[in-house]
């Protein structure tokens, strides 16, 4: 009974009495008359008798009846619990927990597997149900609602149960009763069907801050080009074959694992509850946004007269709308006439840049033959430039995808890695440029000094050191039994070449400061550029060592082979090529004769050649190490997961590396809830937490690269090559740089694709526009808008 | 109820590597398990096979991770094998250690360690060794070392027994002769044309039985092509045989270093159409190859038992083999034609065999049943079980070694050599000391070191720390089925 | 293990035998398997032949001695001491009541325990020292002269080197005399081979052996060698048996194939010449070609035929042979000149080769190399054919290397050249000549030996004699005498010692030894 | 005394959830607590002593310890350190480390620092089984490489192909260990990898897992021998 209606009734009664006064007097007389004739006493007696009867008979009967009724009511419940009576409740810990009675709303993944989204206070479960059916609770969702359902894998939200309701009110047996309150952190959950309950508490990730939870660690590298690099790596045989044996090992292991599968005794078919995990993770990611939405729309539940606005409010509102309309009008004006021009200009600028980049890339990647080395394989600088260009080509695409992300729910977590990658590369380039500016300014300031230093180093290490070592070798070093004549010969040869080369260097010396200055200038494009240039400069200025190495290696290898075959002859055997084994063979006298003499000759000449060979081999190795260091620095500058580390420090939730569970002691929990009348089913409280990505995973590719380098240069194969004088190939650039490419897609988007992407962007904006406006506008407009969105 | 034992078969040679010793170990273990014993196998790690494995019938195989030097014989890791071995033996509650193959160091070490730990040891010798060259002299010393303190030795043939007795200077009484056997079911003779069509080598018409005068006679040779398998004899004999007997053909299965010579022979006197070389085949394909032929030619130069000729006879082939090693003991004379290891004699013998087949004098179809009655693994298992009973004292010594129980002196005298050997260190040292002037002292040193290591292990890894592993459910052997051999 | 059915029906202790076979009932009484039946009695006295080993020989060394009482209570006391055969007969009779006698077979189901050791058959075919033939003194001495020859030639070489090194001998004279001797030797050789080709049916290409030029005729070598040996079989008596047997056999095959080869000789011969220029490994092509020529031939014929075909120049006798000899002389001279100039070219490099190496290491090295040469030298020198050049590659190479190393110590190019050339003559050619001389006639051999011993002794004497120029010949004479004495002593003493050692020889042969396959047409397709 | 042999705790609040913990930590009695406390205090002091050693060494080697410090707190710290350095103990320490070369000192002390900070005395590994969710292994103890929180690994139920007990050679012995065979991975996940407990414990855990992980309707897990 509403107080207002009571008031009106009272006014009506008062008016009536004043209108008919005589009737009142009659009533008074009648009462006195009744009292005089003892009507009252009789009535009192009768009343007493009746009440006695009621007390003695009706109340017990009613009690019995209610108990029977209750029995009848609870009987089906008691038989209810299913064979696997495990109830699983996912409960957000940061859910507001007032003590009020309310309705628990969420997903019901399977009859006994519920996911709590929100508790709606002060509403009737029935209404909530209907509202959910009608989708009232999802009114004016910013983005299409269907997406929620498809990502959460459920057709609709459900009422899961009631919270803080007294036991008396009976509910659907599949519902849960939740007792929460400010006091207890863990709600106590009971369900008629469940014999045991898992309460899994989790922190809701905030989509606004791009937090999310995932089962497997976030992938910082683009995962789309394993096979691609296999193809690229094909041109160096050695890499190829060790990759092959890698693959064969994997295949063998896979076979063993297949065998292992046969060992398992019973193949366990996963139940729905077990398959639901991925879905549930998604639901967790959605939980925050959905709860916000529901809480916003709670006010719509129930039939409540819409209170009309007072005059003052209406005035205020109209004023604000006027202002807003003005703003909106201006904004539209700007957007319609000015913005497109800027956009077009910007896009054209981008396209021009893109096309030039395309041309440059074509130049860099041009190969005379498919097997030949392209420019970028030869020089580090070209490689660096190529990487930068690739990044420039990739950014717009990335940006477009990120923009498209804007007009979707915040909880769609697919594009987070893209985001991180995008900003990572931006940050890296920025970093690179900052360091580069410092370095470059330094270099430019004292270019002459640096040039002097470099030329001194060159002349000191690549000329004088070599000369001294060679001349040291020419006079029996360290008691080595070298053959004087041969040593003289070789030494003179090499010395002559070195002299020639040093004269070339001398010719080059005056130009050196300019080169240095150029390098310093180039480093305004990033510190990686001068490093690459230095590495190229090094390889250019040490060509002579390289050639020495090649020559001595050839000689040594050749002599070694001859010695081996002559040794077979010495033993009166020969290597049978057809059967690939050592056969006995009787030679002729003159064969033996010449063979033996040659054998003796070469045998005694071998140490000399070995010494020279080793000398140059070591020089070569040193240079290779230096270049490897340069390359490592480059890859550090180009790929350091800076942004990821920053995120890891700032907000670990944004780099999910999987989930983990914690089993909480349930004793305190039980103590907290033992005031509740009904005995709880056996309950286990579990915390679900998200593990942030560990550093090992962040630097995984560095480990990979280090492993590659180690496997290439410290492998027995290389040692064998060194010993037998075969040519040791430098590490294939691809394998070294795969690290840096891992940020980039295997094939870059063509010019036209980029153009399309560019043009797709504004339309996206336009779609986003009506959403942006009404946020400023008031409820009614918002409402209509919401309906538009929800219908459209 | 006969007593059952926990037996550990130790050898370097076991599956996946194919071979005679391997299958011997496997079959023997299986049959012993059928008789209610518990058997495990200890061998070294093959590639991809390290750790503990269960075979289908619950036979447990330990692939001990040791690296391999030559043809899957491990490097002599004399003492480093001891801790692992002790661990395995204790956790499996082994009481008899049975080593195989005198070329496997693992086996010898295991026997030494087992004696140190006070277990009964048996050794089975599968191979023959000369006394001439240095390698065999070394091997003999090693054998003498490990066999001078073994409880019993099993040889696969009498020749092998004589050889072992001479090499290790053993008491002949502690050497039993238990031949190999074949699984006759796997070597049934050719029965119906359908199966010949089925298996992989069926590109030629199935062998005709009975033979007409002009049917081609197929001669099968299955052996690894090494020198001591007599491949040179084969290479020399084949052209002459084919020349003398117009419609005969050869099927040669197996590979090895001498395969090239064979191929060259085939090319040199153009015989590609009459000699078919299959390369190496798996053991389960042997029967499929055999039943395509009529005569099995086995030109080996030394052979302890020669399981393959028994298999051939079981497949119903008429066997021509060289009269070397234990081969003459293996098959009755009506199944075989013996030849001296000479080219001419081999050719002549093959000629005789072919002639006999052409005249249908040989009832090859009966061979299978006869071989089945001669050799069966169950029989081998029973006889091996008797050896186990003997050494573990379940059979009285007198009964086992045939002393008359009337005077105890007779066997107390030889107690040192044969019979239930005492584990006292001093007795063992006595036995080893008799091995030679220098070798004896060296062996004693080794044994003492081994014993010290044993004590150390007892202290370092006490037995309580070692988990006893549960047994595979044992089979119970019923006494009725026991004499089912005959 | 089941007993034979006959035993099963026999009423005498069937269950006993049963329990014996499957030792499943240990508590059951075992049939009296008495020690006498199993334990070998020691009958060393009554053993039929010494080479027949009884089981107790195996362990009597290591096992504690048995008490005699152990055997007295076998089956009856006395019969242990009777000779073995009687006892076995008796035992078998007494046993034949109970069971079949033991057979050394695996396929019969024996009624004996597995570890039963039968007296009669255990180790019955074990033989000791079967194929040892006792040496007697003089042939041994005669054979050991070969070693003496080689050692002496090495000593002579060393002496020459020392002479050159100390510049007491002029290198030119050394190499001159050496070359002269070689030339004489070659002429002698040529003459002998000429004679040989006259009286033998074959003169294939005898003097090919002189210097490496027989290379052109390697393919026929084997066939011709066989035939050659057949030719001079009277003189080839003391060649070792193994070489004799195959050669005889295959020569017989030659005679079998004679007509065919005669017939298709021309075609096959030009085949042979064509293919013989190829690198090794052309056997296949050759055989195939010959088979093309005679398509109807079986393999053996083809093999022989191919051999004949290529060597058939020898079969067509005199008319071809003269021309051949001329060509061979030419080839010989050619290769001689080749070697000569090679050495001439290399010697300046050799001179400075090991200058940086210290002399001691060079001496040590050359010593070891020469030792290798002496130890690995092919003393058998089996003479199979004029073209089989008894060159043991390793020893020759070692000697040549030693000489090269030594030569590199010499100051002047001429010395280096001469020493190297001399070493070639001594180590490369001289052994051939020696072997041939020995084959030729015993007299030459002895003569050569004496000369060598004298020369070596003299040289050593002169070298050790020191610098004193007055009467160097006295030292030489002393050296000769001492050398003769030492060599005689060594020959006699060593052979006597060797004979003395024979009685320690103890080889055991048995069925377990890997049999030596006797293959007539051995290695027809190997090593090429 | 401070650590015991590995033994098993089982927490099982509901039949569908169980945590098996194998730890070397004995039950916490008062003396044990005291011992642990003293140990940690010892480690702390050691840590600071090492730091101070390095500092003194730094002072003795470099002469810039008199640089003017602006930050008052750092200034106070520096002054205190300086007084400590001048104290007899500090002097003694300085004299002690003076002969040792710097690189050697660093090489010794930095691992020691890591040890004193990071080393955990007790190793404890646990296996958490949640029916319907999966299995989670976690390990603490020894050197926590990477992060301090226990290294956990969660395996969803539908990824679990089988849970079995295996035997393998380890060092000179054969050990039993519990493995989880994961779908689509080529390495099995070893449970309790650090302290491989003995057979009794492993079997108990195995039965528990089999009982707890799957619903009762496929209860044929029990009593089945090792896979």
């Amino acid at each position: 009974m509403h107080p207002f209606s009571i008031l009106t009734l009272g006014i009506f009664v008062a008016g009536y009495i004043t209108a008919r006064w005589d009737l009142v007097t009659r009533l008074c007389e009648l009462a006195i008359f009744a009292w005089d004739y003892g009507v009252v006493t009789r009535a009192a007696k009768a009343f007493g008798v009746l009440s006695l009867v009621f007390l003695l008979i009706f109340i017990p009967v009613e009690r019995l009846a209610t108990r029977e009724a209750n029995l009848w009511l609870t009987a089906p419940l008691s038989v209810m619990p299913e064979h696997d009576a495990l109830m699983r409740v996912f409960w957000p810990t940061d859910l507001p927990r007032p003590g009020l009675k309310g309705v628990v709303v969420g997903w019901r993944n399977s009859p006994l597997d519920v996911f709590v989204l929100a508790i709606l206070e002060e509403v009737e479960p029935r209404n909530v149900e209907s509202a959910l059916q009608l989708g009232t609770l999802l009114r004016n969702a910013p983005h299409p609602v269907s997406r929620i359902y498809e990502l959460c894998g459920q057709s609709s939200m459900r009422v899961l149960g009631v919270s803080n309701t007294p036991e008396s009110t009976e509910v659907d047996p599949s519902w849960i009763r939740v007792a929460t309150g400010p006091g207890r952190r863990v709600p106590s959950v009971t369900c008629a069907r469940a014999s045991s309950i898992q309460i899994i508490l989790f922190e809701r990730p905030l989509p606004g801050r791009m937090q999310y939870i995932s089962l497997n660690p976030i992938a910082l590298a683009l995962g789309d080009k394993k096979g691609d690099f296999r193809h690229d790596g094909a041109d160096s045989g050695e890499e190829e074959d060790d990759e092959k044996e890698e693959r064969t090992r994997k295949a063998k292991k896979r076979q063993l694992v297949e065998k292992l599968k046969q060992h398992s005794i019973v193949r366990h078919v996963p139940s729905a509850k077990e398959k639901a995990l991925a879905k549930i993770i998604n639901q967790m990611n959605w939980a925050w946004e959905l709860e916000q939405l529901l809480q916003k729309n709670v006010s719509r539940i129930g039939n409540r007269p819409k209170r009309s606005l007072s005059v003052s409010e209406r005035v205020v509102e109209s004023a604000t709308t006027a202002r807003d309309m003005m703003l909106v009008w201006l904004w539209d004006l700007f957007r319609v006439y000015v913005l497109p021009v800027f956009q077009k200009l910007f896009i054209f600028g981008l396209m021009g840049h893109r096309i030039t980049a395309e041309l440059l890339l074509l130049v860099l990647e041009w190969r005379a033959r498919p097997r030949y080395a392209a420019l970028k394989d030869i020089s580090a600088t070209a490689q660096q430039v190529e990487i930068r260009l690739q990044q420039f080509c990739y950014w717009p695409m990335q940006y477009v995808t990120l923009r498209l992300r804007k007009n979707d729910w915040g909880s769609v977590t697919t594009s987070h890695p893209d985001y991180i990658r995008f900003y990572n590369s931006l940050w890296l380039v920025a970093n690179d440029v900052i360091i580069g500016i410092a370095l470059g300014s330094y270099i430019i300031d004292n270019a002459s000094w640096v040039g002097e230093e470099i030329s001194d180093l060159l002349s000191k290490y690549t000329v004088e050191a070599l000369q001294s070592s060679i001349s040291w070798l020419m006079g029996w070093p360290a008691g080595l039994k070298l053959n004087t004549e041969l040593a003289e010969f070789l030494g003179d040869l090499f010395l002559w070449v070195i002299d020639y080369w040093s004269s070339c260097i001398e010719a080059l010396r005056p130009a050196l400061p300019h080169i240095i200055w150029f390098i310093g200038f180039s480093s305004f494009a990033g510190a990686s550029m001068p490093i690459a240039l230095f590495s190229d400069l090094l390889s250019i200025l040490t060509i002579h060592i390289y050639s020495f190495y090649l020559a001595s290696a050839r000689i040594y290898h050749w002599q070694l082979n001859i010695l081996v075959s002559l040794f077979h002859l010495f033993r009166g055997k020969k290597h049978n090529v057809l059967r690939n084994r050592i056969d006995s063979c009787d030679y002729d006298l003159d064969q033996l004769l010449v063979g033996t003499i040659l054998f003796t000759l070469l045998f005694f000449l071998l140490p000399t050649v070995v010494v020279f060979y080793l000398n140059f081999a070591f020089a070569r190795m040193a240079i290779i190490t230096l270049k490897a260091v340069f390359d490592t620095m480059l890859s550090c500058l180009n790929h350091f997961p800076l942004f990821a580390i920053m995120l890891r420090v700032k907000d670990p939730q944004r780099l999910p590396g999987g989930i983990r569970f914690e089993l909480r002691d349930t004793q305190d929990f039980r103590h907290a809830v033992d005031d509740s009348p009904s005995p709880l089913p056996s309950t286990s409280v579990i915390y679900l937490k998200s593990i942030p990505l560990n550093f090992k995973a962040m630097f995984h590719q560095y480990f990979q690269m280090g492993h590659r380098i180690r496997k290439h240069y410290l492998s027995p194969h290389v040692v064998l090559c060194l010993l037998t004088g075969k040519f040791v190939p430098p590490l294939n650039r691809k394998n070294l740089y795969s690290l840096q490419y891992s940020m980039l897609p295997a094939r870059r988007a063509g010019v036209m694709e980029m153009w399309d992407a560019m043009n797709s962007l504004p339309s996206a904006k336009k779609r986003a526009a009506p959403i942006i406006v009404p946020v400023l506008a008031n409820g009614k407009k918002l409402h209509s808008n919401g309906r538009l969105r929800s219908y459209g | 109820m006969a007593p059952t034992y926990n037996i550990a078969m130790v050898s370097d040679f076991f599956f996946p590597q194919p071979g005679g010793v391997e299958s011997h170990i496997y079959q023997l273990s299986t049959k012993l398990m059928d008789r209610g014993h518990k058997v495990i196998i200890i061998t070294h790690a093959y590639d991809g096979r390290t750790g503990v494995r269960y075979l289908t019938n619950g036979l447990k195989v330990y692939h001990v991770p040791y690296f391999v030097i030559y043809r899957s014989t491990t490097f002599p890791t004399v003492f480093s094998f001891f801790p692992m071995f002790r661990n395995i033996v204790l956790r499996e509650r082994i009481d008899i250690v049975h080593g195989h193959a005198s070329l496997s160091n693992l086996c010898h070490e295991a026997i030494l360690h087992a004696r140190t730990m006070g277990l009964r040891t048996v050794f089975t010798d599968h191979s023959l060794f000369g006394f001439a060259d240095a390698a065999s002299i070394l091997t003999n010393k090693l054998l003498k070392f490990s066999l001078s303190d073994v409880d019993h030795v099993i040889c696969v043939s009498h020749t092998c027994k004589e050889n072992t007795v001479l090499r290790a200077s053993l008491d002949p009484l502690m050497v039993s002769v238990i031949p190999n056997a074949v699984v006759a079911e796997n070597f049934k003779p050719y029965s119906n044309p359908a199966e010949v069509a089925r298996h992989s080598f069926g590109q030629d018409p199935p062998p005709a039985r009975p033979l007409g005068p002009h049917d081609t006679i197929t001669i099968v040779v299955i052996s690894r092509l090494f020198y001591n398998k007599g491949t040179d004899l084969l290479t020399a004999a084949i052209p002459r045989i084919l020349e003398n007997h117009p419609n005969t053909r050869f099927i040669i299965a197996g590979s090895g270093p001498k395969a090239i010579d064979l191929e060259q022979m085939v090319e040199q006197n153009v015989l590609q159409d009459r000699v078919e070389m299959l390369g190496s085949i798996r053991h389960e394909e042997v029967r499929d190859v055999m039943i395509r032929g009529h005569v099995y030619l086995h030109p080996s130069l030394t052979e302890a038992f020669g399981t393959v000729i028994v298999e051939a006879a079981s497949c119903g082939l008429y066997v021509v083999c060289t009269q070397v090693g234990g081969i003459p003991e293996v098959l009755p004379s009506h199944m075989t034609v013996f030849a001296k290891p000479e080219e001419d004699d081999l050719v002549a013998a093959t000629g005789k065999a072919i002639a006999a087949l052409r005249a249908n004098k040989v009832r090859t179809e009966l061979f299978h049943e006869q071989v089945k009655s001669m050799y069966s693994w169950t029989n081998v298992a029973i006889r091996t079980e008797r050896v186990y009973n003997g050494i573990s004292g379940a059979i009285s010594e007198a009964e086992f070694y045939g002393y008359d129980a009337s005077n105890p002196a007779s066997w107390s005298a030889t107690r040192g050599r044969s019979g239930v050997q005492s584990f006292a260190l001093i007795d063992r040292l006595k036995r080893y000391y008799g091995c030679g002037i220098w070798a004896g002292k060296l062996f004693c040193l080794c044994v003492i070191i081994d014993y010290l290591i044993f004590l150390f292990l007892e202290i370092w890894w006490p037995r309580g720390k070692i988990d006893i592993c549960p047994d595979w459910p044992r089979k119970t052997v019923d006494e009725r089925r026991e004499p089912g051999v005959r | 293990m089941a007993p034979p059915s006959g035993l099963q029906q026999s009423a005498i202790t069937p269950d006993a035998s049963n329990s014996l076979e499957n030792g499943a009932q240990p508590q059951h009484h075992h049939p009296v398997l008495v020690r006498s039946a199993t334990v070998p009695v020691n009958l060393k006295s009554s053993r039929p032949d010494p080479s027949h080993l009884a089981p107790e020989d195996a362990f009597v060394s290591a096992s504690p001695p048995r008490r005699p009482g152990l055997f007295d209570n076998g089956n009856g006391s006395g019969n242990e001491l009777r000779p073995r055969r009687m006892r076995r007969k008796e035992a078998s009779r007494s046993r034949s009541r109970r069971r079949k006698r033991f057979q050394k077979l695996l396929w019969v189901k024996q009624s004996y325990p597995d570890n039963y050791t039968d007296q009669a058959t255990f180790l019955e075919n074990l033989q000791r020292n079967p194929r040892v033939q006792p040496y007697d003194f003089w042939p041994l001495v005669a054979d050991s002269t070969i070693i003496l020859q080689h050692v002496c030639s090495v000593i002579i070489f060393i002496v020459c080197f020392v002479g050159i090194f100390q510049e007491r001998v002029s290198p030119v004279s050394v190499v001159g005399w050496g070359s002269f001797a070689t030339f004489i030797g070659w002429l002698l050789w040529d003459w002998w081979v000429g004679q040989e080709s006259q009286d033998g049916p074959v003169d294939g290409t005898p003097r090919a052996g002189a210097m490496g030029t027989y290379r052109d005729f390697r393919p026929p070598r084997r066939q011709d060698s066989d035939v050659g040996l057949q030719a001079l079989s009277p003189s080839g008596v003391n060649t070792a048996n193994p070489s004799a047997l195959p050669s005889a056999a295959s020569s017989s095959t030659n005679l079998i194939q004679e007509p065919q080869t005669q017939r298709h000789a021309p075609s096959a011969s030009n085949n042979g010449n064509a293919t013989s220029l190829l690198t090794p490994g052309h056997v296949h092509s050759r055989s195939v070609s010959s088979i093309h020529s005679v398509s109807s031939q079986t393999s053996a014929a083809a093999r022989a035929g191919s051999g004949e075909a290529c060597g058939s120049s020898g079969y067509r006798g005199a008319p071809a042979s003269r021309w051949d000899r001329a060509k061979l002389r030419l080839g010989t001279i050619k290769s001689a000149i080749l070697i000569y100039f090679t050495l001439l070219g290399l010697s300046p490099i050799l001179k400075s080769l090991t200058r940086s190496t210290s002399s001691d290491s060079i001496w040590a090295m050359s010593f070891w190399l020469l030792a290798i040469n002496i130890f690995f030298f092919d003393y058998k020198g089996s003479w199979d054919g004029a073209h089989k050049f008894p060159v043991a590659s390793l020893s020759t190479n070692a000697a040549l290397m030693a000489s090269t190393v030594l030569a590199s110590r010499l100051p002047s190019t001429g010395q280096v050249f001469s020493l190297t050339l001399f070493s070639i003559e001594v180590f490369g050619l001289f052994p051939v000549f020696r072997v041939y001389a020995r084959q030729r006639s015993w007299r030459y051999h002895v003569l050569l030996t004496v000369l060598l011993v004298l020369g070596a002794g003299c040289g050593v004497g002169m070298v050790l004699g020191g610098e004193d120029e007055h009467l160097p010949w006295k030292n030489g004479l002393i050296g000769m005498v001492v050398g003769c004495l030492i060599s005689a002593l060594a020959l006699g003493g060593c052979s006597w010692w060797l004979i003395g050692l024979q009685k320690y020889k103890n080889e055991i042969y048995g069925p377990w030894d890997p049999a030596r396959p006797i293959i007539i047409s051995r290695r027809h397709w190997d090593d090429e | 005394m401070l650590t015991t042999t590995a033994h098993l705790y089982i927490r099982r609040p509901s039949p569908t959830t169980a945590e098996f913990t194998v730890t070397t930590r004995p039950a916490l009695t008062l003396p044990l607590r005291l011992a642990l406390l003293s140990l940690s205090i010892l480690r702390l002091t050691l840590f600071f002593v090492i730091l101070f050693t390095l500092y003194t060494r730094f002072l003795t080697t470099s002469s810039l310890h008199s640089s003017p410090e602006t930050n008052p707190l750092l200034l106070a710290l520096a002054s205190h350190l300086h007084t400590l350095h001048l104290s007899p103990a500090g002097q003694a320490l300085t004299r002690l480390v003076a002969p040792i070369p710097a690189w050697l000192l660093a090489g010794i002390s930095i691992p020691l620092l890591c040890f004193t900070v990071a080393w955990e005395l007790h190793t404890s590994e646990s296996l958490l089984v949640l029916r319907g969710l999966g299995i989670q292994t976690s390990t603490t103890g020894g050197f926590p490489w990477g992060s301090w929180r226990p290294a956990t690994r969660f395996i969803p139920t539908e990824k679990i192909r089988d849970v079995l007990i295996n035997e393998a050679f380890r060092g000179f012995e054969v050990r039993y260990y519990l493995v989880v065979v994961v779908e689509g991975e080529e390495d099995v996940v070893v449970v309790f990898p650090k302290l491989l407990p003995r057979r009794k414990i492993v079997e108990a855990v195995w039965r528990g897992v089999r009982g707890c992980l799957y619903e009762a309707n496929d209860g044929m897990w029990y009593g089945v021998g090792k896979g």
Side-chain angles (χ1 to χ4, degrees), chain D residues 52 55-56 58-59 64-87:
Chain D
F52 181 67
Y55 175 71
T56 48
F58 169 72
L59 286 188
L64 50 91
H65 57 279
S66 64
S67 62
E69 188 56 68
T70 59
N71 185 340
L73 192 136
L74 284 181
L75 185 61
L77 182 64
S79 61
H80 282 103
L81 276 177
H82 194 56
T83 47
L84 197 55
H85 170 60
L86 294 181
S87 70

Side-chain angles (χ1 to χ4, degrees), chain A residues 31-70:
Chain A
I32 293 164
F33 174 81
W35 182 264
D36 290 344
Y37 291 89
V39 178
V40 181
T41 49
R42 259 182 261 117
K45 284 182 189 154
F47 177 76
V49 171
L50 283 183
S51 56
L52 197 64
V53 169
F54 181 78
L55 280 179
L56 293 185
I57 299 166
F58 287 113
I59 292 183
V61 168
E62 185 270 346
R63 281 275 167 237
L64 290 177
T66 45
R67 176 159 312 134
E68 285 308 317
N70 289 351

Side-chain angles (χ1 to χ4, degrees), chain A residues 495-532:
Chain A
L495 281 180
W496 176 69
V497 179
I498 287 177
D499 290 335
Y500 183 73
W501 176 257
S502 57
S503 64
C504 298
I505 295 286
E506 285 310 316
L508 188 101
R509 182 181 290 258
L512 204 52
H514 304 288
I515 297 175
I516 297 299
W517 183 84
F518 171 72
I519 290 177
F521 189 75
S522 77
S523 77
F524 285 102
S528 52
M529 201 56 71
I531 295 178

Side-chain angles (χ1 to χ4, degrees), chain B residues 51 60 63 84 87 91 464 467-470, chain D residues 167-169 171-174 176 198-199 226:
Chain B
K60 193 175 186 180
H63 289 280
M84 205 174 279
N87 191 292
R91 73 199 302 274
D467 292 334
I468 305 301
C469 72
Chain D
E167 298 170 275
F169 289 100
F172 278 138
E173 53 188 351
V174 186
Y176 282 102
R198 296 192 49 176
R199 179 182 151 216
K226 289 188 290 299

